[in-house]
Amino acid sequence: MTLLNISNLNAGYSRIPVLSDINLTVPEKSICAVVGPNGSGKSTLLKTIFGLTTIYNGTIKFNGKDITHLKPYEKVKLGMAYLPQTGNVFPNLTIKENMIMAGYLLPKKEIEERVENILKMFPIANIPLDKKVLTLSGGERQMLAMAMSLMSNPKIMMFDEPSANLSPKLAHQVFQKIKELNKSGITIILVEQNVKQALEISEIVYLLVSGRVRFQGESKQLLEHPELGKLYLGISSVS
Amino acid sequence: MEPIIAASIVASSVIGLMALGFTLQFITLKVPNLAHTTICFSSAYMPLSFWLFGINPYLALPLSFLIGSLLSWFLYKFLAFLRTRGTGPVGQMMSSLAFGLIIYGIMNIYADYLSYVLKAWARTFTLANADIILFGEPGIVFLSPTLLFSLTTFFHLLLTRTKFGIAIRAIVQDYSLAATLGVNTDRALGIAWFIVGGIGGLAGAVWPFWFSVDPWTGPRMLSDIFAACVVGGLFSVYGSILGGIIVGGMEILLLWGIAINVGVWITSYRPIIPVIIAAITLLIFPKGIMGSIEMLREKRRK
Ligand SMILES: Nc1ncnc2c1ncn2[C@@H]1O[C@H](COP(=O)(O)OP(=O)(O)OP(=O)(O)O)[C@@H](O)[C@H]1O
Ligand SMILES: [Mg+2]
């Protein structure tokens, strides 16, 4: 079943168009990778799905419902979560306050419960909750950001380069975590520079080039594609 | 109590409370709200009306809160609307000025209406004679610092202990992240403006119990609020309250000190005093008091 469906989407930043004629379908419970060179519009695509850019035309449907012009908080209510590429935590708030913000729409009692349960799943569980986030390391912040995006109990999670600036070991952990989340039933859209790892854990992939979909299909196909991989992704073809 | 001391207590408290609202509005929309003091002092006409109609003017304070909060909320909605239409910070600031001038006009009309109906001069007024006496002192001497203390405490608890308060701090840090996490940012900021507008309305309403008020008091006091925020450090709500206390008190004391030494004519230069206080503070603390404390803390951390 299709969870997210985008058709004929054109979007950008007020008068600067970035995305043209995007058609994209994400099946329920899948991992969908979005890859492409720098500046190709990957982040813009996620922001657009979440309602943070200007949509000129086209429609976005979630669970069959038209969400094209909903406000971000309304999308959170429907079960969408988005983890931005940068600025995905509040540095001047404490860990606890960050988690409370992430569960903003939940009842108070549920927030308390979830904060503990969710943090337990991440390797930052032993850091005091009242510590300010600006004292955490980059890796710890990324873990916190992932924990935060789980607070709202989402059906779909959109990650924008979750492994950026992390050591290979931490990056590996992040990918493992994403796989786990997916196993627990959450649909995932994953934007990544770490193309190889992204393609390994995903089922379907969209290759964006200059704001257009240049390739779509199974992740395996792209990994083995004779030209595209080399041309845009720095993958030397397997053989 | 020496009247000069009483006067500086009232001024400190009132300007502290108004600076709180101005700073919160500034850090949430990144626009200086030039109508803030006008909105605050417009509510001063409520206790006057009560008094003229023979009711205890203190009973008008809840209504004054409401006037301040509603006007402030409405202005927020208007500025937010302009923002979605693509109006930049300067355009929004000018709009707030225009909004203040409209309120100024309405205050004049209302004052004339009171004068006409009640044959009482209402353009410039004071309620000093209407005040109650507590322990041999005018009630306002106790009420204004009590308001400052309790409302500041209330505001602090609101910001630190409630989900709503955390959301406001989060929005100030990163508007779009807060929205992304599910905060209805527009509603949250609307409520925040409502609350600080109400606090400002209360502050404006107690001012006439000691000083005089006319429709132009608000715009004139803008320089005090600016000075308070500069002294305290532009981005800290607590700093601006402190700045307001300093500027409000110093202004009265300095003015009095200069007037008895130089001559009473100097009092017409009163609006310059807060500017001078701000300038001197900046020479000593280039980032305002709170900014400098923050810098010291940073240094110690390293
Ligand atoms: N806030 C913005 N305002 C205007 N243009 C923007 C803005 N953000 C991005 N752009 C432009 O949109 C285009 C796509 O940017 P985007 O961030 O979506 O790329 P990306 O594929 O995520 O790149 P990267 O791999 O470097 O993260 C770029 O040309 C960029 O200059
Ligand atoms: Mg990007």
Side-chain angles (χ1 to χ4, degrees):
Chain A
M1 209 197 96
T2 300
L3 187 62
L4 187 82
N5 181 49
I6 298 179
S7 48
N8 305 319
L9 181 78
N10 288 278
Y13 299 93
S14 54
R15 294 204 186 94
I16 311 164
V18 176
L19 301 173
S20 344
D21 300 322
I22 302 280
N23 286 291
L24 183 143
T25 306
V26 183
E28 199 170 1
K29 305 207 166 139
S30 64
I31 299 185
C32 167
V34 177
V35 297
N38 289 115
S40 57
K42 305 183 296 295
S43 300
T44 308
L45 175 63
L46 293 195
K47 284 188 217 164
T48 303
I49 296 174
F50 220 76
L52 299 168
T53 60
T54 317
I55 295 176
Y56 311 125
N57 51 49
T59 50
I60 306 174
K61 280 189 178 161
F62 179 68
N63 240 341
K65 183 176 153 76
D66 187 346
I67 58 159
T68 316
H69 296 290
L70 292 192
K71 299 249 168 62
Y73 74 92
E74 293 169 314
K75 296 186 177 176
V76 176
K77 270 189 196 161
L78 290 177
M80 302 176 74
Y82 159 59
L83 199 73
Q85 181 170 4
T86 52
N88 46 26
V89 291
F90 301 103
N92 277 318
L93 300 187
T94 65
I95 293 183
K96 174 113 190 248
E97 288 171 338
N98 267 278
M99 292 295 279
I100 293 175
M101 285 312 297
Y104 194 74
L105 294 171
L106 302 174
K108 207 171 172 192
K109 236 182 108 192
E110 211 180 324
I111 295 182
E112 295 284 331
E113 283 171 18
R114 289 184 71 82
V115 168
E116 275 194 23
N117 290 339
I118 289 175
L119 281 177
K120 246 187 259 160
M121 299 160 48
F122 291 87
I124 48 168
N126 50 353
I127 304 175
L129 283 178
D130 57 358
K131 206 162 174 202
K132 273 209 180 167
V133 168
L134 55 89
T135 63
L136 301 185
S137 75
E140 289 166 340
R141 283 189 208 192
Q142 191 61 30
M143 289 294 165
L144 173 63
M146 290 188 70
M148 283 166 66
S149 56
L150 275 178
M151 274 299 282
S152 61
N153 214 351
K155 290 195 191 73
I156 190 168
M157 292 177 83
M158 304 189 281
F159 293 100
D160 197 348
E161 305 200 13
S163 76
N165 305 320
L166 296 185
S167 69
K169 193 176 151 225
L170 271 176
H172 182 72
Q173 271 186 16
V174 166
F175 284 115
Q176 287 311 310
K177 207 85 233 169
I178 291 175
K179 246 162 100 175
E180 272 173 41
L181 294 175
N182 178 243
K183 287 237 170 69
S184 75
I186 301 174
T187 309
I188 298 211
I189 302 182
L190 176 62
V191 165
E192 259 303 335
Q193 295 279 355
N194 246 328
V195 178
K196 232 174 173 164
Q197 296 195 45
L199 291 182
E200 271 159 16
I201 67 166
S202 62
E203 287 106 47
I204 53 168
V205 61
Y206 284 80
L207 168 65
L208 284 189
V209 178
S210 313
R212 288 173 186 277
V213 177
R214 179 77 175 71
F215 173 91
Q216 69 183 86
E218 288 177 28
S219 301
K220 267 189 245 128
Q221 284 177 314
L222 185 59
L223 266 174
E224 287 156 12
H225 198 284
E227 306 137 40
L228 286 176
K230 223 188 229 163
L231 206 51
Y232 296 114
L233 308 168
I235 307 173
S236 39
S237 167
V238 218
S239 64
Chain B
M1 194 185 294
E2 284 288 330
I4 195 72
I5 303 293
S8 47
I9 288 176
V10 176
S12 280
S13 311
V14 167
I15 293 176
L17 286 173
M18 287 185 187
L20 177 162
F22 184 84
T23 302
L24 186 104
Q25 293 172 340
F26 178 65
I27 59 180
T28 50
L29 274 197
K30 319 283 185 258
V31 173
N33 171 9
L34 299 184
H36 181 58
T37 48
T38 311
I39 290 175
C40 293
F41 281 104
S42 68
S43 70
Y45 277 84
M46 280 306 110
L48 172 70
S49 312
F50 272 46
W51 187 50
L52 290 178
F53 285 105
I55 310 168
N56 183 339
Y58 277 120
L59 295 179
L61 291 187
L63 210 57
S64 297
F65 180 95
L66 207 60
I67 288 189
S69 51
L70 286 176
L71 286 175
S72 172
W73 176 81
F74 184 81
L75 177 58
Y76 166 77
K77 280 288 175 197
F78 180 57
L79 295 181
F81 169 74
L82 288 181
R83 162 171 303 199
T84 59
R85 296 284 302 265
T87 308
V90 176
Q92 292 175 50
M93 184 179 83
M94 296 317 281
S95 307
S96 77
L97 181 66
F99 187 79
L101 289 175
I102 292 172
I103 293 174
Y104 168 70
I106 295 173
M107 278 158 77
N108 272 313
I109 294 171
Y110 185 68
D112 286 351
Y113 165 79
L114 285 180
S115 308
Y116 179 73
V117 173
L118 299 166
K119 310 277 177 266
W121 180 243
R123 277 232 175 166
T124 306
F125 69 95
T126 164
L127 297 171
N129 299 326
D131 204 354
I132 49 170
I133 302 293
L134 273 178
F135 309 111
E137 303 287 345
I140 190 64
V141 178
F142 303 102
L143 178 69
S144 58
T146 308
L147 276 180
L148 174 72
F149 183 74
S150 55
L151 290 173
T152 305
T153 310
F154 161 77
F155 198 73
H156 173 71
L157 293 177
L158 186 75
L159 280 187
T160 51
R161 301 285 165 83
T162 67
K163 206 167 85 171
F164 170 76
I166 299 172
I168 294 299
R169 287 190 289 141
I171 293 171
V172 168
Q173 272 182 58
D174 192 333
Y175 184 92
S176 69
L177 179 59
T180 301
L181 291 174
V183 181
N184 185 343
T185 44
D186 188 49
R187 206 183 73 179
L189 290 188
I191 296 174
W193 276 57
F194 183 92
I195 294 172
V196 300
I199 291 176
L202 272 182
V206 299
W207 184 259
F209 285 93
W210 190 277
F211 301 99
S212 72
V213 167
D214 61 86
W216 197 246
T217 306
R220 195 169 48 232
M221 295 285 279
L222 207 51
S223 66
D224 292 70
I225 303 300
F226 270 132
C229 297
V230 169
V231 167
L234 261 180
F235 296 95
S236 160
V237 172
Y238 305 113
S240 65
I241 297 172
L242 187 67
I245 295 172
I246 294 172
V247 169
M250 291 265 283
E251 182 177 350
I252 302 286
L253 294 175
L254 276 178
L255 190 71
W256 174 74
I258 299 172
I260 55 172
N261 287 306
V262 182
V264 179
W265 58 269
I266 200 86
T267 51
S268 41
Y269 293 95
R270 176 174 174 171
I272 301 174
I273 293 184
V275 180
I276 295 173
I277 298 174
I280 293 173
T281 313
L282 282 188
L283 286 179
I284 308 169
F285 305 107
K287 290 190 159 179
I289 294 174
M290 262 342 197
S292 303
I293 293 176
E294 200 50 45
M295 262 165 49
L296 272 182
R297 262 202 216 149
E298 288 275 310
K299 261 188 203 153
R300 199 173 297 161
R301 209 177 281 144
K302 284 164 192 165

mmCIF file of all heavy atoms in Angstrom, chain B residues 80-96:
data_model
loop_
_atom_site.group_PDB
_atom_site.id
_atom_site.type_symbol
_atom_site.label_atom_id
_atom_site.label_comp_id
_atom_site.label_asym_id
_atom_site.label_seq_id
_atom_site.Cartn_x
_atom_site.Cartn_y
_atom_site.Cartn_z
ATOM 1 N N ALA B 80 2.163 39.028 12.018
ATOM 2 C CA ALA B 80 2.378 37.677 11.490
ATOM 3 C C ALA B 80 1.753 37.552 10.105
ATOM 4 O O ALA B 80 2.320 36.927 9.214
ATOM 5 C CB ALA B 80 1.795 36.630 12.437
ATOM 6 N N PHE B 81 0.600 38.181 9.941
ATOM 7 C CA PHE B 81 -0.043 38.170 8.635
ATOM 8 C C PHE B 81 0.835 38.880 7.604
ATOM 9 O O PHE B 81 1.077 38.381 6.507
ATOM 10 C CB PHE B 81 -1.412 38.851 8.731
ATOM 11 C CG PHE B 81 -2.046 39.138 7.394
ATOM 12 C CD1 PHE B 81 -2.587 38.115 6.642
ATOM 13 C CD2 PHE B 81 -2.087 40.434 6.894
ATOM 14 C CE1 PHE B 81 -3.158 38.368 5.408
ATOM 15 C CE2 PHE B 81 -2.650 40.703 5.663
ATOM 16 C CZ PHE B 81 -3.187 39.671 4.915
ATOM 17 N N LEU B 82 1.358 40.054 7.980
ATOM 18 C CA LEU B 82 2.250 40.782 7.064
ATOM 19 C C LEU B 82 3.446 39.915 6.691
ATOM 20 O O LEU B 82 3.891 39.895 5.546
ATOM 21 C CB LEU B 82 2.744 42.071 7.720
ATOM 22 C CG LEU B 82 1.716 43.186 7.878
ATOM 23 C CD1 LEU B 82 2.361 44.399 8.525
ATOM 24 C CD2 LEU B 82 1.149 43.569 6.518
ATOM 25 N N ARG B 83 3.967 39.192 7.701
ATOM 26 C CA ARG B 83 5.132 38.358 7.450
ATOM 27 C C ARG B 83 4.828 37.284 6.421
ATOM 28 O O ARG B 83 5.613 37.051 5.506
ATOM 29 C CB ARG B 83 5.588 37.734 8.762
ATOM 30 C CG ARG B 83 6.500 36.544 8.581
ATOM 31 C CD ARG B 83 7.080 36.129 9.877
ATOM 32 N NE ARG B 83 7.797 37.229 10.505
ATOM 33 C CZ ARG B 83 8.690 37.083 11.458
ATOM 34 N NH1 ARG B 83 8.958 35.883 11.902
ATOM 35 N NH2 ARG B 83 9.312 38.104 11.962
ATOM 36 N N THR B 84 3.663 36.631 6.545
ATOM 37 C CA THR B 84 3.340 35.594 5.556
ATOM 38 C C THR B 84 3.172 36.209 4.172
ATOM 39 O O THR B 84 3.347 35.530 3.169
ATOM 40 C CB THR B 84 2.046 34.834 5.908
ATOM 41 O OG1 THR B 84 0.984 35.790 5.979
ATOM 42 C CG2 THR B 84 2.157 34.116 7.239
ATOM 43 N N ARG B 85 2.848 37.508 4.136
ATOM 44 C CA ARG B 85 2.728 38.170 2.834
ATOM 45 C C ARG B 85 4.079 38.650 2.309
ATOM 46 O O ARG B 85 4.166 39.284 1.278
ATOM 47 C CB ARG B 85 1.789 39.374 2.954
ATOM 48 C CG ARG B 85 0.369 39.013 3.308
ATOM 49 C CD ARG B 85 -0.368 38.442 2.104
ATOM 50 N NE ARG B 85 -0.360 39.400 1.008
ATOM 51 C CZ ARG B 85 -1.345 40.257 0.764
ATOM 52 N NH1 ARG B 85 -2.424 40.230 1.497
ATOM 53 N NH2 ARG B 85 -1.272 41.105 -0.225
ATOM 54 N N GLY B 86 5.150 38.394 3.093
ATOM 55 C CA GLY B 86 6.481 38.734 2.621
ATOM 56 C C GLY B 86 7.010 40.081 3.095
ATOM 57 O O GLY B 86 8.040 40.548 2.601
ATOM 58 N N THR B 87 6.322 40.732 4.039
ATOM 59 C CA THR B 87 6.825 42.000 4.565
ATOM 60 C C THR B 87 8.034 41.734 5.466
ATOM 61 O O THR B 87 7.997 40.867 6.326
ATOM 62 C CB THR B 87 5.728 42.713 5.389
ATOM 63 O OG1 THR B 87 4.554 42.787 4.604
ATOM 64 C CG2 THR B 87 6.175 44.097 5.821
ATOM 65 N N GLY B 88 9.105 42.486 5.259
ATOM 66 C CA GLY B 88 10.327 42.294 6.036
ATOM 67 C C GLY B 88 10.246 42.965 7.399
ATOM 68 O O GLY B 88 9.246 43.610 7.737
ATOM 69 N N PRO B 89 11.327 42.837 8.204
ATOM 70 C CA PRO B 89 11.327 43.391 9.558
ATOM 71 C C PRO B 89 11.090 44.906 9.600
ATOM 72 O O PRO B 89 10.369 45.396 10.478
ATOM 73 C CB PRO B 89 12.725 43.058 10.084
ATOM 74 C CG PRO B 89 13.208 41.946 9.233
ATOM 75 C CD PRO B 89 12.535 42.070 7.906
ATOM 76 N N VAL B 90 11.672 45.634 8.651
ATOM 77 C CA VAL B 90 11.505 47.089 8.678
ATOM 78 C C VAL B 90 10.043 47.462 8.418
ATOM 79 O O VAL B 90 9.461 48.299 9.107
ATOM 80 C CB VAL B 90 12.428 47.774 7.651
ATOM 81 C CG1 VAL B 90 12.166 49.270 7.626
ATOM 82 C CG2 VAL B 90 13.890 47.498 7.988
ATOM 83 N N GLY B 91 9.454 46.786 7.437
ATOM 84 C CA GLY B 91 8.046 47.023 7.128
ATOM 85 C C GLY B 91 7.162 46.716 8.330
ATOM 86 O O GLY B 91 6.226 47.455 8.634
ATOM 87 N N GLN B 92 7.496 45.620 9.020
ATOM 88 C CA GLN B 92 6.700 45.250 10.192
ATOM 89 C C GLN B 92 6.869 46.272 11.310
ATOM 90 O O GLN B 92 5.921 46.617 12.012
ATOM 91 C CB GLN B 92 7.127 43.872 10.704
ATOM 92 C CG GLN B 92 6.765 42.751 9.748
ATOM 93 C CD GLN B 92 7.303 41.412 10.230
ATOM 94 O OE1 GLN B 92 7.115 41.035 11.371
ATOM 95 N NE2 GLN B 92 7.987 40.700 9.360
ATOM 96 N N MET B 93 8.105 46.776 11.458
ATOM 97 C CA MET B 93 8.357 47.772 12.499
ATOM 98 C C MET B 93 7.554 49.042 12.212
ATOM 99 O O MET B 93 6.912 49.599 13.112
ATOM 100 C CB MET B 93 9.852 48.090 12.552
ATOM 101 C CG MET B 93 10.242 49.031 13.654
ATOM 102 S SD MET B 93 12.021 49.315 13.647
ATOM 103 C CE MET B 93 12.149 50.577 12.391
ATOM 104 N N MET B 94 7.555 49.468 10.940
ATOM 105 C CA MET B 94 6.799 50.662 10.586
ATOM 106 C C MET B 94 5.302 50.433 10.813
ATOM 107 O O MET B 94 4.577 51.329 11.239
ATOM 108 C CB MET B 94 7.043 51.057 9.122
ATOM 109 C CG MET B 94 8.476 51.449 8.804
ATOM 110 S SD MET B 94 9.216 52.490 10.051
ATOM 111 C CE MET B 94 8.489 54.075 9.628
ATOM 112 N N SER B 95 4.857 49.215 10.548
ATOM 113 C CA SER B 95 3.449 48.907 10.770
ATOM 114 C C SER B 95 3.099 48.993 12.252
ATOM 115 O O SER B 95 2.016 49.444 12.620
ATOM 116 C CB SER B 95 3.115 47.507 10.265
ATOM 117 O OG SER B 95 3.532 47.378 8.941
ATOM 118 N N SER B 96 4.050 48.540 13.105
ATOM 119 C CA SER B 96 3.774 48.630 14.536
ATOM 120 C C SER B 96 3.682 50.100 14.950
ATOM 121 O O SER B 96 2.849 50.480 15.776
ATOM 122 C CB SER B 96 4.847 47.899 15.354
ATOM 123 O OG SER B 96 6.035 48.646 15.439
#
